[in-house]
Amino acid sequence: MREFGLRVVLCLTGVAISLVGLEIVLALAWPVWYRAPTMENFSNEGFRGYLHRASDVPGLRYELAPNMDLDTKLGPMVTNSYGMRDAEPLPSDLPGLICIVTIGDSLAFGDGVASDETFSNVLEELLRASPLVDDRPIEVLNMGVSGYSSADEAIVVEHKAFELEPDLIIIGYVQNDPELEPVQGLTNYFAEDAWWRHFHTTRLIAKARRNLVVNLIGGGDLIRYLHAPEQPMWKSVEQAFQKIGQLVSERNIPVIVLILPVVPKEKWGVYEHQYMHDQITEVAMKAGLDVLDIYDVFKAYDPESLKVSESDGHPSSLGHRAVAEAIYSKLFSDYSEIFTIEK
């Protein structure tokens, strides 16, 4: 019995030494930054940890910090007193005020473009120059926060948007909005800490598990994995839209879900992600929300011109303007009453 116990101890010691050795090798030669509790996997963008803060809103991990003015690699990053990448909201009791709120992730926030190039600010510019508004004060407020999911956006609608008394809400949707796991830079940075996140070896195991699940459920396609109908990720989108639909119906506020296509690397060919657009359209309309699909709008442009860069697929200034013009057309086609009926 004593000999058996010694063997167990020796075996466990060997395993421990092997794990320590593997950890050292990974740390020195092949570091694993997946889910690391640092900004290391957010190359040259450590400012994001200062631009954002942990949120006190139940269920929301983080939010934009108010009154920030940072000089960053991407240019000035300024937020107002409400924690929005925008100017201060106009007084809600301003006579005739028309308020539109945009909610979303890095698309709405405007990663890679200047503040005045975001689709919310371009839309505001178009509306203020339009004779159809009849010189009424109008604002389009940008409540976008990089990394937010559909579940996060439903929380923003419930706990933040209504205090601005919007006449209409626009919610941007992109292909990773069903994501529940904190795998992106900001969501990971503000995620609850866990012991395994501090070791390269355990992060490697977690990364392998994630890849395995994506392969088994999505056939190696992350978008298909996130939109798999019976999985929690997609269910979170359905629940978020249902929640938003209930909240706005009580207040008689229209909502437009803006669907952004996956822009190809080179030329537009057979679009492989139409199923995603169909899924979103179905659940949005079922929840009483309107839909604006940008696919046909973007298809008219060279894909390279729609992206910030070859390595950054976020919409360029041209992409944001195309989105703003599409929204503008829809507003005066389907929502003209917002601009003709005084509060």
Side-chain angles (χ1 to χ4, degrees):
M1 186 68 180
R2 187 174 179 181
E3 184 179 346
F4 174 77
L6 180 59
R7 289 180 180 179
V8 171
V9 170
L10 291 174
C11 182
L12 293 176
T13 301
V15 170
I17 292 173
S18 298
L19 289 174
V20 171
L22 177 59
E23 180 68 18
I24 293 173
V25 170
L26 290 174
L28 295 178
W30 298 287
V32 180
W33 297 120
Y34 177 80
R35 297 294 313 277
T38 68
M39 274 291 179
E40 292 289 346
N41 56 342
F42 232 172
S43 178
N44 297 321
E45 296 189 32
F47 72 88
R48 293 180 181 275
Y50 299 100
L51 189 63
H52 300 80
R53 68 179 184 183
S55 177
D56 292 331
V57 176
L60 203 60
R61 289 192 182 98
Y62 63 94
E63 60 193 10
L64 278 171
N67 302 315
M68 298 299 292
D69 188 353
L70 298 179
D71 185 17
T72 75
K73 177 184 176 182
L74 301 179
M77 289 290 174
V78 180
T79 62
N80 63 21
S81 62
Y82 284 79
M84 295 184 286
R85 190 189 183 191
D86 213 327
E88 288 296 319
L90 296 171
S92 59
D93 59 354
L94 189 65
L97 175 64
I98 302 169
C99 177
I100 297 173
V101 166
T102 65
I103 298 172
D105 58 6
S106 53
L107 156 71
F109 174 81
D111 268 27
V113 299
S115 179
D116 61 357
E117 294 176 326
T118 62
F119 75 81
S120 56
N121 276 333
V122 175
L123 176 61
E124 183 177 87
E125 168 194 313
L126 293 172
L127 290 170
R128 287 181 173 177
S130 172
L132 297 175
V133 177
D134 195 26
D135 294 327
R136 289 174 61 186
I138 187 165
E139 61 184 357
V140 182
L141 298 174
N142 183 358
M143 299 188 75
V145 179
S146 297
Y148 271 13
S149 64
S150 293
D152 295 324
E153 290 154 12
I155 296 173
V156 172
V157 170
E158 181 175 13
H159 293 278
K160 293 188 174 188
F162 294 138
E163 68 177 284
L164 299 169
E165 300 184 23
D167 296 282
L168 182 139
I169 297 173
I170 299 171
I171 297 179
Y173 187 94
V174 295
Q175 61 270 19
N176 64 347
D177 278 7
E179 184 67 81
L180 294 177
E181 294 186 64
V183 295
Q184 299 182 63
L186 274 171
T187 56
N188 177 64
Y189 183 71
F190 285 98
E192 184 177 348
D193 201 2
W195 67 268
W196 63 267
R197 294 179 60 200
H198 295 268
F199 301 96
H200 294 271
T201 304
T202 45
R203 293 199 297 266
L204 178 63
I205 295 171
K207 183 177 181 179
R209 174 197 167 278
R210 164 81 171 191
N211 291 338
L212 177 63
V213 173
V214 172
N215 285 325
L216 289 175
I217 297 176
D221 185 331
L222 178 61
I223 299 177
R224 288 193 178 277
Y225 163 67
L226 294 176
H227 291 82
E230 300 304 320
Q231 296 300 313
M233 293 77 63
W234 173 248
K235 293 295 184 184
S236 73
V237 176
E238 294 181 321
Q239 293 164 4
F241 282 10
Q242 289 169 5
K243 180 65 173 178
I244 293 171
Q246 292 169 359
L247 291 168
V248 298
S249 66
E250 297 168 359
R251 296 166 173 82
N252 197 30
I253 301 173
V255 173
I256 299 174
V257 176
L258 187 72
I259 306 178
L260 267 289
V262 180
V263 179
K265 292 183 178 180
E266 298 178 355
K267 297 180 179 180
W268 292 98
V270 177
Y271 189 59
E272 298 179 354
H273 299 100
Q274 185 59 49
Y275 68 91
M276 179 187 76
H277 295 240
D278 295 339
Q279 280 185 255
I280 293 302
T281 299
E282 181 179 354
V283 298
M285 296 184 70
K286 186 176 179 180
L289 315 179
D290 198 359
V291 171
L292 175 57
D293 194 330
I294 302 298
Y295 173 70
D296 287 334
V297 175
F298 270 21
K299 195 176 180 181
Y301 294 88
D302 172 35
E304 291 187 6
S305 68
L306 294 171
K307 296 181 287 188
V308 170
S309 68
E310 185 177 346
S311 60
D312 188 342
H314 287 97
S316 62
S317 58
L318 174 63
H320 276 271
R321 179 159 289 275
V323 170
E325 290 174 350
I327 299 172
Y328 177 85
S329 297
K330 183 172 181 64
L331 291 181
F332 285 108
S333 171
D334 301 342
Y335 295 93
S336 59
E337 68 278 3
I338 290 177
F339 306 95
T340 56
I341 299 176
E342 294 281 351
K343 288 185 178 178

